């Protein structure tokens, strides 16, 4: 059931450089249809949340460069539901901006914050957890994060350690750990005390603003200068003026790792952050040799554990390849070991240095 005091912030301003060349600066991964469903990751995220949150209470925060793309993909949104950042400043300023806007509209709003580019396979269970979380933050002065039961010793995710203390069956957070090595990730998995940090957060507008004041006062001071401008025609000019001077920091580092009222609701709903080619490979259908393909036809010969994606439904024949990413889009082709995919960002920087923006 939709609650008019429930709001959603969808963060959709990233460049998705780890998915280059499929994802490029002019059309990054949140605007792409990875799975051939006819809906991009951003559209799918919006579709998911509008089932439990009034569509007019959903806000997309993105970069100025993606204003027209966002409007094109989500024509049902009013123009003032697309909040535009003049420059990228990580998740804390992004969330602060949307929170100040929502506060100007509803001084007691309950908010869910989610990235635009995650995969959720068991949507019904996910939405039940979100509704439970929204009710929890409405009744308790807490910052709530959504934790995922780990299925493997993943080194690409952050981990949350559960405290024994609970409130209404929801655990207090003991510690946060960013991207552990393989041995530590295995120890976390074996202990049963840790969950993956999904990057989905829930809180009441007053709880998160109090936390910003306590832990990121510099950001609050800047936004407070615009008191009375939010949700008015003066808002955009004010944001353009102050946003570049905001601290470039994530909400995790800036607030959640410091606050003492952080709780975690644990879910199991077929989640992936789709942050890397490897996570995408895990999420899609694979053949008996663990090969997968997207947007193309493939013939694999003596090849194992690969992912291939092409534009325009091309045919690809590969022989003797094991553990590779092969990705093509328009004027660029990437062939890279899956085990080395963390270097793709560096490859993109190198390409930009040598050949300019044409291939980025």
């Amino acid at each position: 059931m939709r609650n008019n005091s429930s709001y959603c912030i969808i963060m959709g301003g990233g460049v998705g450089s780890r998915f280059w060349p499929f994802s490029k600066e002019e059309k990054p991964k949140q605007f792409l249809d990875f799975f051939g469903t006819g809906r991009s990751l951003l559209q799918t995220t919006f579709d998911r949340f509008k089932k439990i949150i009034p569509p007019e209470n959903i806000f997309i925060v993105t970069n100025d460069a993606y204003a027209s793309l966002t409007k094109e993909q989500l024509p049902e949104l009013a123009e003032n539901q697309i909040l535009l950042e003049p420059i990228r400043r990580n998740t804390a300023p992004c969330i602060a901006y949307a929170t100040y806007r929502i506060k100007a509209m509803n001084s007691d709003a309950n908010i869910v914050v989610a990235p635009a580019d995650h995969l959720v396979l068991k949507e019904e269970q996910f939405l039940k957890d979100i509704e439970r979380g929204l009710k929890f933050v409405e009744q308790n002065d807490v910052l709530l994060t959504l934790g995922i039961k780990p299925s493997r010793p993943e080194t690409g995710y952050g981990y949350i350690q559960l405290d024994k203390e609970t409130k209404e069956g929801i655990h207090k957070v003991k510690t946060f750990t960013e991207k552990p090595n393989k041995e530590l990730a295995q120890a976390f998995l074996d202990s049963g005390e840790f969950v993956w940090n999904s990057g989905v957060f829930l809180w009441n507008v007053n709880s998160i603003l109090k936390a910003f004041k306590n832990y990121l006062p510099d950001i609050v001071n800047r936004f407070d200068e615009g008191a009375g401008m939010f949700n008015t025609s003066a808002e955009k000019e004010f944001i353009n003026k102050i946003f570049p001077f905001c601290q470039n920091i994530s909400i995790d580092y800036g607030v959640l790792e410091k606050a003492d009222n952080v709780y975690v609701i644990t879910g199991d709903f077929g989640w992936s952050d789709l942050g890397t080619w490897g996570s995408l490979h895990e999420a899609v259908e694979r053949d008996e040799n663990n090969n997968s393909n997207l947007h193309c036809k493939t013939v694999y010969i003596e090849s194992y554990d690969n992912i291939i994606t092409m534009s325009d439904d091309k045919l690809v024949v590969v022989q003797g390849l094991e553990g590779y990413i092969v990705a093509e889009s328009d004027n660029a082709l990437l062939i890279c070991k899956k085990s080395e995919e963390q270097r793709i960002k560096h490859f993109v920087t190198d390409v930009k240095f040598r050949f300019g923006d044409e291939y980025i």
Side-chain angles (χ1 to χ4, degrees):
M1 190 175 85
R2 288 176 178 168
N3 183 331
N4 288 331
S5 285
S6 294
Y7 288 75
C8 179
I9 300 167
I10 298 175
M11 300 180 288
V15 291
S17 60
R18 286 180 292 183
F19 276 102
W20 183 86
F22 193 56
S23 169
K24 292 187 174 178
E25 277 192 15
E26 64 178 27
K27 194 172 186 180
K29 71 169 182 170
Q30 61 270 28
F31 298 103
L32 300 175
D33 174 11
F34 272 81
F35 303 105
T37 62
R39 301 290 278 173
S40 70
L41 296 175
L42 171 65
Q43 289 170 316
T44 304
T45 302
F46 176 78
D47 293 345
R48 187 180 302 133
F49 282 109
K50 75 178 182 181
K51 291 176 180 174
I52 60 168
I53 290 172
E56 64 273 17
N57 289 2
I58 300 176
F59 294 88
I60 315 295
V61 189
T62 189
N63 189 269
D64 271 329
Y66 306 134
S68 59
L69 205 48
T70 305
K71 288 172 195 167
E72 179 189 315
Q73 292 207 349
L74 295 173
E76 56 266 70
L77 290 183
E79 196 152 326
N80 71 350
Q81 288 176 263
I82 302 170
L83 308 186
L84 299 173
E85 303 171 328
I87 190 170
R88 290 182 184 87
R89 277 292 176 264
N90 216 314
T91 55
C94 159
I95 290 168
Y97 176 15
T99 302
Y100 271 78
R101 161 67 77 82
I102 291 169
K103 175 77 171 175
M105 300 172 68
N106 184 333
S107 61
D108 203 29
N110 302 302
I111 302 171
V112 54
V113 181
D117 51 8
H118 286 187
L119 174 69
V120 172
L121 296 175
K122 301 174 192 170
E123 196 170 89
E124 195 176 326
Q125 184 56 54
F126 173 80
L127 294 176
K128 278 182 185 171
D129 288 336
I130 295 296
E131 287 186 306
R132 183 185 174 205
L134 284 168
K135 190 173 179 183
F136 184 71
V137 300
E138 182 180 28
Q139 297 170 349
N140 298 278
D141 177 18
V142 299
L143 308 177
L144 185 63
T145 180
L146 201 56
I148 312 297
K149 290 177 184 171
S151 56
R152 60 186 184 276
E154 174 62 55
T155 58
Y157 295 159
Y159 284 72
I160 298 169
Q161 186 179 19
L162 309 178
D163 201 312
K164 288 195 174 89
E165 184 185 332
T166 62
K167 191 187 286 251
E168 297 171 35
I170 294 175
H171 285 270
K172 199 166 195 279
V173 169
K174 196 169 184 179
T175 61
F176 286 89
T177 304
E178 266 303 302
K179 299 180 181 175
N181 61 32
K182 197 80 171 176
E183 293 73 27
L184 196 52
Q186 186 64 57
F188 287 173
L189 185 65
D190 294 341
S191 76
E193 292 180 14
F194 289 81
V195 292
W196 290 333
N197 184 358
S198 71
V200 176
F201 311 112
L202 304 101
W203 38 57
N204 180 272
V205 66
N206 298 304
S207 299
I208 188 60
L209 285 177
K210 186 163 68 175
F212 266 111
K213 283 171 188 159
N214 286 339
Y215 306 111
L216 289 173
D218 181 59
I219 288 177
V220 166
N221 290 340
R222 293 191 187 282
F223 278 90
D224 279 349
E225 290 170 23
M229 294 187 199
F230 288 95
N231 203 33
T232 75
S233 58
E235 179 185 289
K236 180 60 177 154
E237 187 182 344
F238 170 70
I239 289 296
N240 286 348
K241 184 177 81 172
I242 63 111
F243 210 82
F245 300 101
C246 285
Q247 190 178 353
N248 187 341
I249 190 167
S250 74
I251 196 74
D252 301 72
Y253 285 125
V255 173
L256 296 172
E257 293 186 15
K258 297 172 183 172
D260 60 3
N261 63 335
V262 185
Y263 283 73
V264 58
I265 186 168
T266 303
D268 184 10
F269 35 76
W271 171 88
S272 170
D273 76 342
L274 292 184
T276 62
W277 284 108
S279 63
L280 180 61
H281 185 237
E282 289 288 322
V284 299
E285 196 175 322
R286 302 181 293 281
D287 68 14
E288 66 276 10
N289 294 316
N290 208 36
N291 296 307
S292 62
N293 57 284
L294 293 164
H295 305 285
C296 62
K297 298 178 179 71
T298 54
V299 177
Y300 284 108
I301 302 161
E302 299 147 13
S303 296
Y304 310 90
D305 193 32
N306 302 293
I307 180 166
I308 293 180
T309 182
M310 296 279 143
S311 55
D312 305 324
D313 201 30
K314 290 185 174 72
L315 168 67
V316 184
V317 181
V318 297
Q319 183 274 329
L321 225 56
E322 183 170 353
Y324 270 82
I325 300 158
V326 181
E328 176 266 1
S329 182
D330 303 323
N331 58 0
L333 169 67
L334 169 76
I335 302 171
C336 169
K337 286 182 178 178
K338 276 173 64 193
S339 60
E340 299 286 335
E341 69 172 340
Q342 71 278 5
R343 296 174 62 190
I344 291 175
K345 278 188 171 184
H346 303 300
F347 301 160
V348 172
T349 302
D350 200 24
V351 168
K352 191 168 186 171
F353 177 73
R354 293 183 186 212
F355 303 108
D357 292 336
E358 182 185 352
Y359 300 95
I360 306 303

